Amino acid sequence: MKRIACLVMTLCLCFALACGAKAEGKVTVYMPSPAGLADKLAEAFTAKTGIEVEQFQGTTGEILARLEAEQANPVADVVILASWSDGLSMKAKGQLVSYTPANAEKINEGWIDSDSTLFGYSASAVGVIYNTTVVSELNADWAELAGEQYKDLIAIPDPEKSGACKDFLAGLVTGLENGEEIMKSWADNGLTVPGANKAALEAVTTGEKGILIAGVDYNAYSSIKKGEPLSIYYPASGTVVNPRPAMILNTAPNMDNAKAFIDFLFSDEAQQLVADAYLLPGRSDVQCENRTNLADIPQIATDWDKMMEVASDTAAELNSLCK
């Protein structure tokens, strides 16, 4: 009976929204960067539905820490992370609700998990970002960045702070035959770890380092737009495209509003906001004009189950090698 009542309430909400009526209440959403996108999504959702959005914005690590601290008194309805593997970990712990979002048939292949609990509403990829005043032109593959000409010029985000970098390293060592050897060769070539994504990019933007390995692409595109002397490319042997999972917690205090928010994330309006923020849209029919599109990014074959098994250990190993 409880399930039927919930279904009826959800259908009533969808009908009301379709008729232009405003819903009530709030939805609490935990979202990662970029902050500007989170704010725009919240504003647009409220304007469309009448549902207020309460936000917490932070890194994936900060969001996960907050969720753990709130276990006894759950607050969040919807959680968005910058790491697909961390979303799968939440699923494995039984924290998520299965749901079929609006426009599900338009979502990129593989960006909804088999149980329909993780919804990749956007994605980032990591590439090689370089300062064009330090290195005028660059198209080296991952292994070639261990070359003598790049000694002491290379940096990487801290994979124990950056979910995107952690997932990339896990993909590198499981998806490429010589992936672990490549990672060790970077360390031998003077690889440094300036900090999380923002600090690592800053080191290259200022010219302290010339090349950022596994830099998050939307940060690069945004900085280039602002006039910074940067360029980005995706190495020929492939990279990891990391869908950003939006998820409904099974402890959500505002379950119907949470489902409405997930539906909104795949609307035309929300997907355009994603594209404008230099992220890859979750829908296959939405393309970007300000960055490389999904079909043009060479990808490492990813096995997320294998990657999850080694991700944390690989991140720790990289940091240990670079000490």
Side-chain angles (χ1 to χ4, degrees):
M1 291 296 293
K2 186 176 180 181
R3 290 184 63 187
I4 294 174
C6 183
L7 177 61
V8 170
M9 288 176 67
T10 301
L11 290 173
C12 288
L13 174 60
C14 293
F15 179 76
L17 295 179
C19 294
K22 297 295 185 181
E24 297 179 349
K26 68 175 184 178
V27 62
T28 301
V29 183
Y30 291 0
M31 292 191 245
S33 59
L37 173 61
D39 292 338
K40 289 176 182 176
L41 287 170
E43 181 181 347
F45 176 72
T46 299
K48 185 173 184 177
T49 66
I51 300 169
E52 294 295 326
V53 179
E54 293 187 359
Q55 294 185 60
F56 170 71
Q57 295 182 24
T59 65
T60 290
E62 290 168 344
I63 291 171
L64 292 173
R66 181 161 179 147
L67 289 172
E68 185 173 355
E70 294 172 347
Q71 279 184 336
N73 186 26
V75 176
D77 298 302
V78 173
V79 172
I80 300 172
L81 300 178
S83 165
W84 190 257
S85 67
D86 284 325
L88 289 173
S89 294
M90 291 184 65
K91 173 186 173 181
K93 294 175 183 177
Q95 295 176 280
L96 307 179
V97 167
S98 179
Y99 180 63
T100 301
N103 291 313
E105 73 283 358
K106 298 178 181 178
I107 297 175
N108 290 313
E109 184 178 355
W111 290 25
I112 300 182
D113 70 300
S114 58
D115 297 309
S116 198
T117 58
L118 280 73
F119 320 109
Y121 92 102
S122 68
S124 64
V126 299
V128 176
I129 304 168
Y130 62 98
N131 187 313
T132 55
T133 66
V134 179
V135 181
S136 60
E137 190 174 346
L138 187 63
N139 196 32
D141 208 345
W142 298 118
E144 295 169 340
L145 291 169
E148 178 65 28
Q149 66 270 44
Y150 308 124
K151 186 169 180 62
D152 297 328
L153 289 179
I154 54 178
I156 194 168
D158 186 340
E160 292 184 292
K161 296 179 179 178
S162 165
C165 185
K166 179 181 72 173
D167 286 349
F168 164 72
L169 290 177
L172 182 77
V173 302
T174 59
L176 296 184
E177 186 174 342
N178 59 338
E180 188 158 0
E181 178 184 327
I182 291 172
M183 185 178 73
K184 291 178 179 178
S185 71
W186 294 336
D188 293 338
N189 208 36
L191 183 69
T192 59
V193 185
N197 293 316
K198 184 177 179 180
L201 181 61
E202 182 69 14
V204 173
T205 302
T206 60
E208 176 187 342
K209 291 291 178 177
I211 303 167
L212 183 61
I213 294 171
V216 179
D217 58 2
Y218 71 87
N219 284 335
Y221 291 116
S222 178
S223 295
I224 292 167
K225 178 67 173 179
K226 295 174 183 175
E228 299 292 358
L230 300 174
S231 188
I232 180 173
Y233 70 95
Y234 305 97
S237 58
T239 188
V240 172
V241 173
N242 202 331
R244 295 178 150 224
M247 301 161 286
I248 302 172
L249 295 179
N250 58 12
T251 55
N254 305 286
M255 184 64 71
D256 293 330
N257 290 348
K259 292 176 179 178
F261 189 83
I262 294 294
D263 286 343
F264 171 73
L265 288 178
F266 292 99
S267 67
D268 293 351
E269 181 179 5
Q271 288 292 293
Q272 188 57 54
L273 288 173
V274 167
D276 291 344
Y278 304 100
L279 285 165
L280 293 165
R283 278 173 38 180
S284 59
D285 61 330
V286 180
Q287 298 295 298
C288 299
E289 297 180 358
N290 55 7
R291 56 154 298 147
T292 303
N293 280 295
L294 180 63
D296 299 318
I297 298 176
Q299 295 187 50
I300 294 172
T302 51
D303 183 326
W304 286 98
D305 289 332
K306 287 183 179 179
M307 288 165 61
M308 285 176 62
E309 292 175 4
V310 305
S312 295
D313 289 342
T314 303
E317 180 185 4
L318 185 280
N319 277 339
S320 178
L321 289 170
C322 292
K323 285 183 178 179

